[in-house]
Each structure stands twice: as C-alpha cells, then as structure tokens.
Amino acid sequence: MQKSDIGIIGMAVMGQNLALNIESRGFSVAVYNRTGSRTKEFIQKRAKNKNIVATYSISDFVKSLVRPRKILLMVKAGEAVDIFIEKIIPLLDEGDIIIDGGNSYFKDTERRYKIVENRGLLYLGTGISGGEYGALYGPCIMPGGDKRAYQQVEDIFISCAAQTEDGPCCTYLGPSSAGHYVKMVHNGIEYGLMQIIAECYHLMKLGLKMSIDEIQQIFNQWNSTELGSYLMEITSDIFTKKDDLTDKPLVEVILDKAEQKGTGKWTSQSALDLGIPIPTITAAVDARIISSFKSERATLAERFKREKKNWKVDKEKFLSNLKNACYICMILSYIQGMHLLAAASDNFNYGVDLSEVARIWKGGCIIRAKLLDIIKNIYRKNPGLSNLLLSDELRETIFRRSVDLRKVLIEAKTWEVPTPAMSASLNYYDAYRMDTLPANLIQAQRDYFGAHTYQRVDREGIFHTSWQA
Ligand code: NBP
C-alpha cells in the first residue's frame, strides 16, 4: 500500500477541513478518529475519491505513514492530546514527528515537548487559526517547538496556509511552546476586539436607538476604512441575517450569554504572571463572565433601573467619534497583546520575531486586519521595541483618536451603557502616559501597615518610616 505524507488524528471540524486542504495541495493524507463512524462518514462523503486514506486502528494509522512520520493531532485540547500521545509514542520510530494543532495550553505543550523529545521523537506545538473556513482554504499556522521537525513539515504547512501579498501565513516561531503561546495571545487579542465591536453595537442600539439595518450599514462602511478587518466584516454580515422562525434579525434572538473555552483567560493569567498590563483583554474576559450571570442580571435590572431618557446627541458626530474610538481601542488591544508577547519571548527564550507574527496574522486568522501591516512595519524597523505605544508611527493616530474615545465614553456613562473594554483601553492609555501616578500613596500605605519600605524621588536608597511614632 502506498504510504501517506502526513496523518491526522481527530476528524471533527478542524481535522476534516485541514485534511481536505492539505490533500488539495498535492499531499496524501491518512486519517484516524477515536469514533470510527466519523471517519467512515468523512471518507464516504467529503473525502470520496480523494488521496485520503481512512484507518480504523492506531497501529494501521501509524503503519500507513511515510517515515519520518508526521502526525497532526486535531483533537479537543486537554486530556485527549495526552491520551493520543501516550498511545502513539510506543508505535513510533526515532525522528518521527508529533504535531499538536489544537488550542493547547502552553504549559501543557512544554510538558509534552519534554516527554516526546525524551523518547527520541520530535514535537511541534502549533496554533492554527481560521476556524472551519480557514482550515479548508488557508489558515494562519503558528508552529513552535523542534526546528528540525518544522523543516520536515514546512512544505506542507506553507502550501496549505493562507497566502497574502506578504507571503504565506506560517512561520517557525520559536522553541518549546512558542507556537501555542503566540496562538494564545492571538485569541486574547481576539477577545478584546470582539468585545470592543460588541460595545460599539450596544452604544448604537441603546444610546442612538439605531435599527439593526442602520447598524449594519455603519459596520459595513467602517470595514472599508482603516478599521478593515475580518471581525468587522463578519459583524456586518451577521446583522444581515434574518431568523427563519421569527423573521427578526437573528442576532436579536440570540441569548446574551457569551461562552469561552479558556484561551482569553489563559492570556490574562499569563500576563499577570509576567507583570504585563493587558486590561482591554482582561476586561473582555470579565465581560463574558458577567454576561453569563443572566438571571442575576435580570433581577438587578429591575432593582437598579437604568435611566431611559431621550438623550440629546448629534448622531453623525457621535458615530464619527465612535469610529475613531473603536479604532484606538483596537490598536490598544493589539498593543497590549504584542507587549505581552515581547515579554514572554524574553522570559521563555522564545526569540519570537514580532514583525513575523504581525505578518502571518495578516491572513487566515480571526484577528486579520489592515492595522497589522502598520504593526509589522514598526517591528521590522525596530525589532526590540517593548511597547508599540512608544512607536513614532502610531503616536499621532493614538493621540488624536483618544480625544474622540473620551467623548464617546462621557456619553456612554451618561447613558448608563457598560463599556468595559473601551473604558479599560482609555484607562490603560491615560495611566501609561502619565509621569506621576498615585502609586506614591500605595507605597506609603504598604510601608505603614507592613514595613514594606519605599524609595524617594529626591535621593537614592530604600527607606522606612515609623508612621505611628
Ligand atoms: P473539538 O475540539 O470539538 O474535538 C473533537 C475531536 O476530539 C474529535 O475527534 C473527538 O473524537 C476528539 N476527542 C474528544 Br472531544 N475527547 C477525546 C478523548 N477523550 N480521546 C480521544 N479523542 C477525543 O474539534 P475541533 O473543533 O475540530 O477542534 C480541534 C482542535 O482545534 C481543538 O483543540 C480546538 O480548540 C482547535 N481549534 C478549533 C477551531 C474551531 O473553529 N473549531 C479553531 C481553531 C482551533 P470523537 O469523534 O471520537 O468524539
């Protein structure tokens, strides 16, 4: 039997579409899934007459692969990955490659990397973004781990990744868990952007009392400007969809409880561990959590009624400010994510090239946006930049739009419409550009109750005061 170039374990949404994508680029693929009926259905329908081989036991799957074997795991993140690694390791030979393409937690990837490498095998923790459509037509691929393994799979990855005028949306990102770390931060930024867009929608709906059709037109218009991005595009599309049952806009009949799978929370947790502020992203995680308390929210909405006055506002002016506010908040979401990546790269010795990260995010992934071109060019010129707020290129853009963000938030607070991510963005900007913060008082309090000491503004040294003496 002719052996396959690559094997994929996990025939759910991502595994199936990646198998079809890779096959369409001229590679042969073997597939396996825990539940055989899923594999069978795939091979009889979507994979019919394609260079894809179905296998129904792990040993047949392993035997069906060209050496060094390349095995891509596309199973649910967590225990399933460990289960398959343990199952396949004894069947593999030195130099064979295991690739985890799921949304694994980067610390799990570090642990698995060591287990696999200790057995003479190579490991790649690889973030893949783009959802169902991206997996089929060209995702953004974020590989990290053993560089020798990457060199073996590079031709497959590069050919099935999304392509932009800046090249394929795939590059080797660094050792160990670098790929999954970058994917985690990608998802963190995604949380921020989604929440910012949702807040703009909420302000248009509650503050300006706009219809869904009007809101759709605004998002559509914004998408053709500097705000152009995949999330802006799909948001505009979402507003056009009518519900089959009620003929209302579908978005209006969807329950307002946002779910999450953990990548946003991990981003915030890691940022706290590394001491990097990412308040826009963390506010977006919190906003999803607050939304989940639906019944309490309903009770509290009665208990603390919102003022529903007819506020006087210049609609056109507000929308123009809102567009700029949305843009600066999005910029700040990327700025915080990139800051975290820079710190993580230093701390974990990933050696991540941030301009390459911005380049590969330009296509295939959920956070692709025009803005990434600017970010890529800034890092190309200045690879060591710790925080994009320090870049000359964004200075004017941020400064001018911050004025409009402030105006939007003043209205939002008068209307009593929550804007957690947008408010967090402005606070981040205001705090970061302020040379004197009230942290002197915090230090005094710490020294008062805990003798934690402080430094002075006028002389070197560490000081302690007996405050009650
Ligand atoms: P899911 O995350 O829904 O996982 C389904 C797959 O995991 C099936 O093959 C299932 O086998 C297998 N599986 C499960 Br569930 N528990 C298992 C266990 N205990 N032992 C062995 N296999 C088990 O699939 P997906 O949505 O295709 O995503 C795959 C990976 O890609 C995930 O890590 C996901 O986070 C990531 N990802 C998904 C998307 C997306 O848009 N869906 C985008 C980007 C990344 P079964 O058929 O036998 O139940």
Side-chain angles (χ1 to χ4, degrees), residues 9-16 32-36 38 73-81 83-84 87 100-104 127-132 183 187 261 263 366:
I9 295 179
M11 283 294 106
V13 177
M14 294 298 281
Q16 286 197 17
Y32 174 81
N33 193 65
R34 176 183 62 172
T35 310
R38 212 166 193 169
L73 295 172
M74 287 310 303
V75 294
K76 191 172 176 188
E79 195 192 12
V81 180
I83 291 173
F84 276 117
K87 274 189 182 162
D100 172 15
N103 273 341
S104 290
I128 301 181
S129 175
E132 184 176 7
K183 174 66 184 351
N187 285 26
K261 284 194 169 172
T263 43
I366 306 298

